Amino acid sequence: MEFTKIFSQAEVERVHEASLEILENVGMLVRNQKALEIFAKNGCKVDRESMMVKFPREVVEKARETFVPTYTFTAQDPKFDITMPGDRPVVVTGSSAPNIIDPKTGEERRATSDDIANIAYLINELPGFDVFSISTLADDAPEGQFSLSRFYPALKNCKKPVRSNTPNMEDLKAVLELGYLIAGGEEEYRKRPFINHHYCPVVSPLTFDVESTEAVIYLIEQGLPVYGTIVPNAGMTSPLSLMGTLTLGNAEFLGLATLTQMIRPGAPMIYAVLSTVADMRTGAYAPGAIETGMLQMAHTEMARFYNVPSGGYIGLTNAHTNDAQSGYETGMNTTGALLAGADLFNMGGLLGSLMAFDFGKAVIDNEVALMLKRIKKGYEYSEENLCLDLIAEVGPGGSYMDADHTLKNMRTIAVLPKVATREMRRRWEDQGKPDAHARAMKEANKILSKPNKARFSEELDAKIREQFKGLVAGDAKWSL
């Protein structure tokens, strides 16, 4: 599949050069002391009083020499392991929404650990999703178990790769202890680290924070999977210019990538972004805007220049319900990103600018994901697939409906949706005129009403609950 190109080679190289100019002449504010030490030790110009770091271009170019072209998400069940770019598009749920659309009332409320358990089970069963990025927070988390109350129900009910973050080092180490227990020990876990960590250590413009940067450094040092996302917001935290925001975001990626390679040369990375343009009429955050898709396409081209996997939060929506806006924002931006060559799509299940998870939206996004994978699969060119013998056999005015070739390919040549309707209007009316959301919720109910085969064994669950007293139940329980 050939990718859509936004820029000429000269323009790509100019964005790179401009990013180097930013890093060398403007620099980055680095609030984390360990990061300051690492930068100073590896040739950056560090002002410890102001915490400003400037990056000589030769330092950044040296880091580029150890960039690697692949990134793997590891799962509890090896059959769900997935590697970019070969397995692209890798489709991931949106993450960390504080709220959920209650599946019974349709009203927005705070999300709980029970919701996470149900979402985890749903994502485990939806074939379009490859990674479960824990979709919500857990408002019922006991004191001191904020992150455990998210990771435990996620890992208990989903065998696909699980991805999320933690707010501090104490929580991170508790989550790793959970991983060790599930794997049967730290040594076994390190062979297959199925908890995939993600942070936003760079706060635009050009600032490394404290806690997320600390976690990223620790995980890289430990050889555990982690990557960061760059999140400039044009008009607010980056210039109100697509090129300016691209260049600033690219500089921030290079700053983070340089830190990563200084810690452990050859550490896998993803050029991940959520570059947006603010709606300057109100200052509203607009992740569903078409410019988000355009910026993702441009960042993807820069990632290809650096030969690293790319993607990020793309296909999000500002819509508050599963309406036309939700559909066109998700569909337009993900298709553009796919055609540009993006590998990773954090797109599933969230409404209202990442504020609320909706079960119906997740099922609809599963179909979008399957369509994206179909586009990527493309045309299977061969002499056989030109079907010349079949066309001659059927001839003018004939029918292909009962041909053996048709029977052979009827379930594989096209996506067969479960939510999109293709029935005649009269039949749709007889069914009560269900809209896409109603059909999606029917499919979610069908899945979640069945026993969860992905669930932990009782023996393992008992060990976990013995280790972490007072832990949330973490069971998928569903009733509409």
Side-chain angles (χ1 to χ4, degrees), residues 368-386:
V368 175
L370 293 174
M371 293 176 190
L372 294 172
K373 292 171 189 283
R374 182 64 186 91
I375 294 172
K376 189 267 179 181
K377 183 179 178 183
Y379 287 85
E380 297 165 312
Y381 177 82
S382 69
E383 284 295 320
E384 180 184 359
N385 283 338
L386 294 177

Side-chain angles (χ1 to χ4, degrees), residues 218-237:
Y218 176 80
L219 290 163
I220 296 170
E221 288 174 339
Q222 295 295 311
L224 296 173
V226 62
Y227 72 95
T229 294
I230 304 300
V231 289
N233 184 15
M236 297 292 182
T237 65

Side-chain angles (χ1 to χ4, degrees), residues 85-161:
D87 295 327
R88 67 178 295 272
V90 174
V91 179
V92 186
T93 47
S95 58
S96 301
N99 299 334
I100 193 165
I101 306 302
D102 189 285
K104 288 185 178 180
T105 67
E107 298 298 319
E108 187 170 334
R109 60 166 172 79
R110 287 295 187 184
T112 68
S113 58
D114 287 345
D115 295 318
I116 293 172
N118 285 329
I119 298 167
Y121 176 27
L122 179 68
I123 299 307
N124 193 76
E125 300 302 307
L126 290 174
F129 288 104
D130 302 297
V131 178
F132 176 40
S133 184
I134 304 175
S135 300
T136 71
L137 306 182
D139 196 53
D140 60 334
E143 186 175 353
Q145 294 188 349
F146 174 82
S147 296
L148 285 172
S149 298
R150 302 179 67 216
F151 280 88
Y152 170 63
L155 292 163
K156 186 176 184 177
N157 295 283
C158 184
K159 289 295 187 284
K160 293 179 180 179

